[in-house]
Amino acid sequence: MKKTFLSFLVVAALFLLAAPLQAQSFGKTNKVSSTSIFSDLKTVVAFVDQMCPISAGSAGNMTALKLTETALVIEFEANEEYIDLDALRSNPSVVRNNFEAMVQNASGYMDTLYTLLAASDKGFVLKYTGATTGKKYSCSLTNKELKSLVEGRGAKRDPMELLNGQIAVTNLQMPMKVGEGLTIDKVYVDGNYVVYNCITDESLYPIDALNDARAEMKKAIAQDVFNMSDPTMVNFMKICVEAGKGIAYQYVGNTTGKKCFIGYSVFELRSALYGD
């Protein structure tokens, strides 16, 4: 089964490349001048931009980073097989909520980046270009908005807020055909799992037969779920683990309504990510 994970957090993995430079921005003291911060921010942006294009796995490629007078601009070539730019454009409030949750719940290097931008009087812009159609879409935060989010966030992150935002944006892409006779119509949290609900053509895949082959199916699908070479997938797995959720596929027969549930627990995700 193809992957269907859309994530605005895909840039987080890319900024790990600039970790040493970002760390310099705070050094051993909090008393850093705005001139020094801006200088370090320019260094970080230039460093990562030189490495572009950088693959973000199934989501596409980061093609450039630019620092304008008002914002850090990240340019992204979107894989339109997984990202529906028209759907994002038609649902600005959902995208906006997810964008804000991304900042409010940032940690590590992305937290450093947002703090640098806020202190440097810069906003944040994501520009998407469809790899196939050339369609354009962008979302942004002004410096005032970014600074308000950075200064107003609580000490404790809320992984479920972040996860729910990701799910909401992912659902904008639905329904999504992921194979012959297989269509994911929604994604939702049910108990300990983020569930991808897959409507299944029973003339091709009888649900009873799928249940009989659950062990083999779980092993086969795991190659996609645990794809450590895909930054989009890895980021999503990390969000799920932080929220205490596993990932599951539920196949629902289009005529009988019978179900086949294949789940990967939060413990399995954590083991794949961290080896514990």
Side-chain angles (χ1 to χ4, degrees):
M1 175 178 286
K2 296 177 181 179
K3 297 176 286 295
T4 57
F5 304 102
L6 173 75
S7 174
F8 278 95
L9 293 180
V10 66
V11 292
L14 305 177
F15 274 93
L16 296 178
L17 298 170
L21 296 175
Q22 287 175 279
Q24 291 176 12
S25 302
F26 292 97
K28 298 180 180 180
T29 175
N30 292 325
K31 297 180 179 180
V32 182
S33 70
S34 59
T35 302
S36 175
I37 290 175
F38 183 65
S39 175
D40 285 331
L41 181 58
K42 288 197 296 185
T43 302
V44 171
V45 172
F47 177 76
V48 180
D49 184 59
Q50 289 177 358
M51 303 186 74
C52 290
I54 302 173
S55 173
S58 56
N61 298 290
M62 186 174 72
T63 56
L65 273 78
K66 304 298 179 185
L67 201 58
T68 70
E69 291 185 3
T70 59
L72 169 65
V73 180
I74 297 179
E75 297 180 7
F76 198 88
E77 182 183 64
N79 181 350
E80 292 173 275
E81 185 177 0
Y82 304 108
I83 300 178
D84 186 338
L85 298 179
D86 289 333
L88 299 182
R89 186 179 297 106
S90 299
N91 295 272
S93 62
V94 175
V95 175
R96 179 76 177 193
N97 290 340
N98 184 52
F99 204 177
E100 291 182 355
M102 178 177 71
V103 176
Q104 290 172 324
N105 294 282
S107 63
Y109 300 110
M110 287 308 291
D111 179 44
T112 299
L113 175 66
Y114 298 137
T115 303
L116 279 172
L117 290 173
S120 304
D121 295 324
K122 301 292 181 183
F124 188 35
V125 181
L126 288 172
K127 288 187 175 181
Y128 289 82
T129 301
T132 304
T133 66
K135 291 180 179 179
K136 306 289 185 179
Y137 174 74
S138 66
C139 50
S140 63
L141 291 171
T142 65
N143 177 256
K144 182 178 179 180
E145 292 168 332
L146 182 61
K147 189 174 294 184
S148 177
L149 291 169
V150 169
E151 295 176 350
R153 59 191 175 196
K156 185 176 181 180
R157 299 169 66 246
D158 184 354
M160 275 307 303
E161 179 184 28
L162 198 56
L163 178 58
N164 286 332
Q166 293 293 293
I167 291 172
V169 174
T170 301
N171 273 320
L172 298 181
Q173 318 298 302
M174 303 305 163
M176 179 182 288
K177 185 174 181 180
V178 294
E180 185 179 2
L182 300 171
T183 300
I184 293 180
D185 67 340
K186 60 182 177 181
V187 184
Y188 58 96
V189 174
D190 184 16
N192 295 322
Y193 292 93
V194 175
V195 181
Y196 285 75
N197 199 69
C198 187
I199 304 302
T200 306
D201 184 343
E202 291 180 274
S203 67
L204 298 175
Y205 312 103
I207 299 299
D208 289 340
L210 295 186
N211 277 314
D212 289 341
R214 282 181 71 252
E216 293 82 356
M217 289 178 63
K218 181 171 181 176
K219 183 177 180 180
I221 298 172
Q223 296 178 16
D224 281 341
V225 175
F226 300 144
N227 185 356
M228 296 297 108
S229 66
D230 188 331
T232 300
M233 190 63 236
V234 171
N235 277 323
F236 188 76
M237 287 173 62
K238 288 181 178 178
I239 295 171
C240 289
V241 168
E242 289 182 4
K245 305 299 178 183
I247 295 174
Y249 291 96
Q250 179 166 262
Y251 297 86
V252 181
N254 64 336
T255 56
T256 66
K258 291 181 178 180
K259 299 177 181 179
C260 173
F261 185 91
I262 297 176
Y264 303 87
S265 71
V266 65
F267 304 105
E268 290 174 287
L269 298 188
R270 184 181 294 114
S271 177
L273 285 168
Y274 308 115
D276 55 9

